[in-house]
Amino acid sequence: MTYELLAKRTGLARATLESLASRHTYNTRLSTIEKLCIALECKPGDLLELADRPGGAAHEN
């Protein structure tokens, strides 16, 4: 699927989609993830992964 087609399906800007794909530190809204999941017929877990924090575990208790 192209960025252009995904932009049309989600209503998101193509630049936003390109940033999500290329910038691993891009901070997005939950509403953006929701739009992507609806358009791609998937769950958030299919799009996201929990990365380890520098020097430690993925999360602290």
Side-chain angles (χ1 to χ4, degrees), residues 31-51:
S31 61
T32 299
I33 296 169
E34 179 182 30
K35 290 175 184 180
L36 288 168
C37 287
I38 291 168
L40 298 172
E41 299 179 355
C42 67
K43 296 180 181 180
D46 297 327
L47 302 176
L48 306 172
E49 69 178 37
L50 184 60

Side-chain angles (χ1 to χ4, degrees), residues 4-55:
E4 193 66 33
L5 180 58
L6 190 55
K8 287 179 183 177
R9 288 187 181 182
T10 61
L12 298 168
R14 180 180 172 154
T16 298
L17 297 171
E18 290 175 353
S19 291
L20 280 168
S22 64
R23 293 173 39 201
H24 71 278
T25 59
Y26 186 81
N27 188 12
T28 191
R29 296 171 169 242
L30 290 175
S31 61
T32 299
I33 296 169
E34 179 182 30
K35 290 175 184 180
L36 288 168
C37 287
I38 291 168
L40 298 172
E41 299 179 355
C42 67
K43 296 180 181 180
D46 297 327
L47 302 176
L48 306 172
E49 69 178 37
L50 184 60
D52 288 341
R53 291 183 181 181

